[in-house]
Amino acid sequence: MSVKYFTNGNIMDVVNEKIYKGSIVVEDGIIKEVGENIACPEGAEVIDFGGNYVSPGLFNCHVHTVLDVPKAADGRHKIATATITGIQNCQKYLRSGVTYVRDVGAADFVDIDLRNAINAGLVDGPEMVVSGKCICMTGGHGWTGGREADGPDDARKAAREMLRAGADWIKVMATGGVMTNGVEPGSPQLTEEELRAAIEEAHKVNAKTCTHAQGMVGIKNALRAGIDSIEHGFYMDDWCFDWMKEHNTFYVPTLAAMYWIYVNPDKVPDFVIRKVRGAFEAHKATFKAAYEAGVKIALGTDAGTPFNEHDMTAYEMVLMVESGMTNWDAVKTGTVNAAELCDVSATNGTIEVGKKANFTVYGGNPIEDINAVMDCRMTVVKGKVMFAK
């Protein structure tokens, strides 16, 4: 049995919105004791938090660990190169405090193999759930690495293929997007019937579903079809918010994806910056309106899109606060809220007895200054210090 005593930390209780000086006893990766006056067990390994601020482990619920699998001159995918890139990106997550990711799309199932390698202890990385290939219409957003499907029967088959391959989630494409030439963010793509067929297949085996959905028509199609989370959501109205609250549908806004392109306009193709500029303010306004309406929000960045680095997850919280969210609520999006979205609230998301010892340690107090989340001092996954400085 491995016993560790983490001490001298300012522990963040995200549920009750308080911070206290305390210690944590961990046995075999599980929290056994936590509080202000916890004694060090005999023989325990002592790890000093250094007076820093200890948050539940940070989630990123929308990443592309391997966004595009490069191709060789003969057209074959460079799977080995993509895998190496994925391993490197997992290291970036750990160095920036991320202990859990939800990968929502990778070509050729590289994400599934990477998750399996992490679970087997062959590769260091955050906890990981994956979706395999996104399901899109022929020629639609994501088609270059996705599984094209046309008609409800084909969409149903596509979902079954992803589940057979080992996907934890099913990702469907309800609208066009920014990064695919020839499609528009506001235009619907997979129909409501196609979306429903794929979603039903996932739900039959208790898998959850998410959708790339930027325009309102596609968003409403996905909501009526039973989707579990809306990704991006540039344009939503009160009907959307009311539906999401009634059906416990999450919103993963990925503010960072638009932001990093918006501030680097000279480094992307004209068709990309045109679409970003057309939706940038609407996206921020929708985020603020959804938050004020009480929609559940979880943190995701769309890491892997232009300039949107895999070690910048925490900056999403900064952008959320700048757009009107409180500091505590921003921290919750990447901890307790994200754990609920990913159906791991019983084991993750808070620092409590019985939960996994996943911690993100910041050099400053994020409640006083949200920018403190950019100063990761230590990352702990299942009681193991994966990064420290």
Side-chain angles (χ1 to χ4, degrees):
M1 181 175 64
S2 171
V3 181
K4 297 180 180 179
Y5 179 69
F6 293 84
T7 190
N8 190 26
N10 287 293
I11 298 173
M12 299 178 66
D13 178 346
V14 296
V15 174
N16 297 302
E17 298 188 357
K18 66 179 183 179
I19 298 173
Y20 61 91
K21 196 80 169 181
S23 302
I24 308 169
V25 175
V26 175
E27 292 183 7
D28 295 332
I30 303 298
I31 299 171
K32 294 299 181 181
E33 291 184 86
V34 57
E36 296 180 270
N37 298 297
I38 303 298
C40 178
E42 184 177 353
E45 177 185 355
V46 178
I47 299 169
D48 194 333
F49 283 131
N52 293 311
Y53 288 78
V54 185
S55 167
L58 181 62
F59 284 65
N60 191 330
C61 294
H62 191 121
V63 308
H64 299 279
T65 312
V66 183
L67 181 60
D68 293 311
V69 179
K71 290 185 177 180
D74 63 2
R76 291 182 299 114
H77 282 137
K78 296 182 178 179
I79 302 298
T81 301
T83 302
I84 292 167
T85 299
I87 293 170
Q88 292 172 335
N89 288 336
C90 283
Q91 293 299 310
K92 292 180 180 179
Y93 291 129
L94 293 175
R95 292 197 299 269
S96 56
V98 177
T99 66
Y100 196 111
V101 300
R102 182 183 63 154
D103 191 301
V104 291
D108 293 297
F109 306 119
V110 176
D111 57 337
I112 293 174
D113 290 337
L114 185 57
R115 176 206 61 195
N116 293 347
I118 292 171
N119 289 345
L122 302 175
V123 173
D124 284 341
E127 293 190 77
M128 190 174 186
V129 289
V130 300
S131 58
K133 300 178 183 181
C134 69
I135 300 172
C136 60
M137 74 177 197
T138 295
H141 185 59
W143 72 268
T144 55
R147 185 348 184 137
E148 292 172 299
D150 298 294
D153 288 345
D154 200 20
R156 190 179 302 278
K157 183 178 180 181
R160 289 172 175 174
E161 290 173 0
M162 296 308 110
L163 294 167
R164 179 183 63 189
D168 304 295
W169 284 69
I170 295 298
K171 166 92 172 284
V172 288
M173 311 300 268
T175 73
V178 168
M179 297 305 300
T180 302
N181 198 8
V183 304
E184 294 300 317
S187 62
Q189 294 204 339
L190 288 177
T191 66
E192 183 176 335
E193 292 73 25
E194 290 169 328
L195 293 165
R196 181 175 290 108
I199 291 166
E200 285 177 352
E201 287 305 305
H203 287 173
K204 278 162 57 175
V205 295
N206 294 319
K208 296 182 77 172
T209 59
C210 58
T211 182
H212 167 102
Q214 297 178 346
M216 196 178 303
V217 172
I219 290 170
K220 290 182 177 181
N221 286 341
L223 290 173
R224 287 189 295 263
I227 203 74
D228 296 298
S229 71
I230 297 292
E231 315 292 306
H232 316 305
F234 293 177
Y235 304 97
M236 291 193 282
D237 60 12
D238 288 341
W239 183 93
C240 297
F241 303 150
D242 290 343
W243 181 285
M244 293 169 79
K245 287 187 291 183
E246 180 180 351
H247 294 85
N248 201 37
T249 308
F250 271 80
Y251 178 31
V252 183
T254 67
L255 298 176
M258 294 281 277
Y259 172 81
W260 290 116
I261 296 174
Y262 190 80
V263 298
N264 289 281
D266 300 327
K267 299 178 182 179
V268 295
D270 289 344
F271 76 88
V272 173
I273 192 60
R274 173 186 62 80
K275 289 189 274 188
V276 168
R277 285 174 171 165
F280 188 75
E281 293 301 329
H283 188 200
K284 291 200 299 182
T286 294
F287 166 78
K288 185 176 182 180
Y291 172 56
E292 291 176 348
V295 173
K296 290 184 178 180
I297 297 174
L299 187 153
T301 66
D302 212 0
T305 53
F307 322 109
N308 193 0
E309 297 295 336
H310 296 272
D311 57 1
M312 292 293 287
T313 294
Y315 199 69
E316 183 78 5
M317 288 185 274
V318 176
L319 294 173
M320 287 178 173
V321 169
E322 289 178 351
S323 297
M325 183 173 273
T326 69
N327 292 28
W328 271 118
D329 283 345
V331 171
K332 289 177 184 179
T333 67
T335 55
V336 63
N337 290 11
E340 182 182 350
L341 169 62
C342 294
D343 269 346
V344 290
S345 294
T347 56
N348 296 64
T350 59
I351 300 175
E352 295 181 275
V353 171
K355 294 196 174 183
K356 292 178 182 178
N358 288 3
F359 313 133
T360 305
V361 183
Y362 302 118
N365 184 348
I367 307 309
E368 294 180 351
D369 179 4
I370 195 61
N371 290 285
V373 297
M374 300 307 297
D375 181 18
C376 177
R377 299 296 180 89
M378 182 184 293
T379 307
V380 179
V381 179
K382 299 178 185 176
K384 181 180 179 180
V385 177
M386 307 299 287
F387 167 78
K389 70 174 182 180

